[in-house]
Amino acid sequence: MRIGIVSDTHIGYERFEEDAYRQALEALSKAAEMSDAIIIPGDVFDRRAPHPKIIADAIKIFREVEQKDKLGAKVLEKKGGDGKIYTQLPIIAISGTHERTTIGSENALSLLGLAGLLIDANEATVMLEKDGEKVAVYGLGGTSEELVKQKLKELDPRPVKGAFNIFMFHQSIYELLPFNDNFLRYDDLPEGFDLYVDGHIHGRVESETHGKPFIIPGSTVLTQLKDGEQEKKGFVIYDTLSNTHEFIAIGSRDFKVLHIKMTDTTPTAIADACESAIRKELDLHSDKPIIKLVVEGKLAHGYTGADLLLHSIIKKFSSRAILEVDSSKLETPELGLQIDDVRNGKLNGMPLKDMGMQMLSSRLKEYKYSGKIDAAKLFELLSAEASKEKTLKAALESLYSSYEAT
Ligand SMILES: [Mn+2]
């Protein structure tokens, strides 16, 4: 049997809503044309409570897939969960972390199951058949990382004799994301299955557990803008008879991370470097790509304000690329010194209070303030140790009275 594995479509993902829709539709339609059954390991929707418009989008996508009438596997039964099947279409899904609700079992994904657009396999085994070959899909919906091991113990999922067994779930895996001891390790997964399919992680992973293949197809839409998400999005087709699989790319929007690293330089030089890197990159794409600029390094002594120039670059290219700039790693030497000085209560060797007074009086000059209160008095009023309201009130009152006096 040919199984299409499509994951993390995130329909309704706000930032790239059109991409999420178009790419989910393309992945599911193509998978329907190329396989006998489709399995979806979670995060069909981006949100727990999708807007009706987004639910309508999802319904349209699944209706379109249904009309292809290509999926050749027959649905035999569902054991576990509510035990009910509302469609004969072999599209089997679980809820992901984005759909999980705390109250009861109903969530946006299970609604699609009740509507007969797919089969909700949460905590259930769905049996499929084609030409005498049986495939059993066990589904464990995304659950909290703290509870997942306990849950697996309680549920004790077992393979079905005489079938090709797939264990489908939606969790982090410690070996892939070593951040939290609660994460499942490969060895924690139940033994005896022929194929392990996971969602949740948006980059593609092909690995092994208990001597059997472990596959994460990755998301169909870009959501995290990480270096590891630059490869093409798509889905996997697994052939249960030959135990081989292939990745099918979809026409996902291109994504590129450009690292610009410069030291002892000026904001203008950084902006120029960014601009030429963007132009070079744009030559490689026919449509509007997503480009993330990671600006690192150090500005030369005396310079600040690189962000301002970078924002004007984003504007400049807005019709040709979706740009994001991360300049959080760009150091400003001045800033480092200033922070130390603030800590020591001094700026340029001047006590903090005098510095504040000087700033206020130069601002007043800048705005051509001609009132009677002098900067020193106003500063005293504004820096009084009272609540903001009280301080402002006192300052305004004396400003008014000084105007009245003139
Ligand atoms: Mn996801």
Side-chain angles (χ1 to χ4, degrees), residues 10 61 75 85 94 223 225 231 264 284 294 307 322 332 356 374:
H10 285 264
I61 289 173
V75 182
I85 283 166
I94 51 170
T223 61
L225 272 67
E231 59 186 6
D264 225 3
L284 308 171
V294 182
D307 282 340
I322 300 166
T332 309
D374 65 10

Side-chain angles (χ1 to χ4, degrees), residues 8 10 42-43 97-98 170 199-202 219 223-224:
D8 291 76
H10 285 264
D43 283 0
T97 29
H98 281 249
H170 185 99
H200 195 50
I201 294 171
H202 286 191
S219 65
T223 61
Q224 293 161 343

Side-chain angles (χ1 to χ4, degrees), residues 214 231 329 364:
F214 172 99
E231 59 186 6
K329 284 181 200 139
L364 290 175

Side-chain angles (χ1 to χ4, degrees), residues 217-278:
S219 65
T220 57
V221 64
L222 181 73
T223 61
Q224 293 161 343
L225 272 67
K226 287 182 184 163
D227 284 37
E229 279 203 280
Q230 294 177 87
E231 59 186 6
K232 271 280 172 197
K233 299 291 186 188
F235 61 95
V236 168
I237 292 193
Y238 193 93
D239 189 323
T240 59
L241 293 177
S242 62
N243 273 308
T244 55
H245 67 274
E246 56 178 324
F247 176 76
I248 312 290
I250 56 169
S252 55
R253 189 188 293 278
D254 290 341
F255 170 55
K256 187 76 190 176
V257 183
L258 301 175
H259 289 268
I260 311 283
K261 195 166 184 179
M262 295 170 87
T263 47
D264 225 3
T265 189
T266 64
T268 325
I270 290 179
D272 288 347
C274 288
E275 212 176 309
S276 75
I278 293 167

Side-chain angles (χ1 to χ4, degrees), residues 25-253:
L25 178 63
E26 185 185 340
L28 287 163
S29 306
K30 268 194 184 160
E33 278 171 10
M34 299 173 79
S35 37
D36 300 307
I38 293 176
I39 62 174
I40 309 175
D43 283 0
V44 164
F45 289 104
D46 187 62
R47 291 218 174 159
R48 215 150 273 149
H51 189 278
K53 192 244 168 210
I54 302 302
I55 296 177
D57 281 350
I59 292 173
K60 281 181 206 160
I61 289 173
F62 284 98
R63 286 273 178 251
E64 198 149 322
V65 173
E66 185 180 26
Q67 272 154 23
K68 297 217 176 289
D69 201 19
K70 285 268 173 73
L71 297 164
K74 199 177 149 200
V75 182
L76 297 181
E77 61 172 342
K78 170 174 159 184
K79 277 189 176 166
D82 63 358
K84 286 180 186 151
I85 283 166
Y86 301 93
T87 176
Q88 285 302 312
L89 202 70
I91 301 181
I92 300 162
I94 51 170
S95 48
T97 29
H98 281 249
E99 288 126 348
R100 179 163 55 103
T101 52
T102 42
I103 27 161
S105 61
E106 305 308 354
N107 55 53
L109 191 275
S110 68
L111 290 187
L112 296 185
L114 287 168
L117 295 158
L118 48 78
I119 297 170
D120 175 10
N122 191 32
E123 297 179 20
T125 300
V126 177
M127 289 292 294
L128 302 171
E129 196 210 313
K130 201 206 166 195
D131 303 330
E133 185 205 5
K134 283 183 181 163
V135 170
V137 183
Y138 181 89
L140 172 69
T143 188
S144 86
E145 304 287 4
E146 287 74 30
L147 299 174
V148 64
K149 284 179 198 166
Q150 180 63 29
K151 198 154 194 186
L152 267 179
K153 221 177 186 179
E154 283 163 22
L155 291 166
D156 192 21
R158 304 247 171 133
V160 178
K161 269 186 195 147
F164 180 94
N165 285 279
I166 302 174
F167 182 78
M168 172 163 72
F169 67 117
H170 185 99
Q171 301 293 142
S172 297
I173 290 287
Y174 186 82
E175 283 88 344
L176 302 172
L177 302 165
F179 307 131
N180 184 331
D181 243 0
N182 287 317
F183 289 175
L184 285 177
R185 285 161 201 261
Y186 284 130
D187 273 352
D188 294 321
L189 296 170
E191 285 183 68
F193 288 80
D194 301 293
L195 170 65
Y196 296 83
V197 171
D198 190 12
H200 195 50
I201 294 171
H202 286 191
R204 187 164 26 125
V205 177
E206 289 165 14
S207 180
E208 241 183 43
T209 177
H210 303 307
K212 299 289 180 180
F214 172 99
I215 295 174
I216 298 177
S219 65
T220 57
V221 64
L222 181 73
T223 61
Q224 293 161 343
L225 272 67
K226 287 182 184 163
D227 284 37
E229 279 203 280
Q230 294 177 87
E231 59 186 6
K232 271 280 172 197
K233 299 291 186 188
F235 61 95
V236 168
I237 292 193
Y238 193 93
D239 189 323
T240 59
L241 293 177
S242 62
N243 273 308
T244 55
H245 67 274
E246 56 178 324
F247 176 76
I248 312 290
I250 56 169
S252 55
R253 189 188 293 278

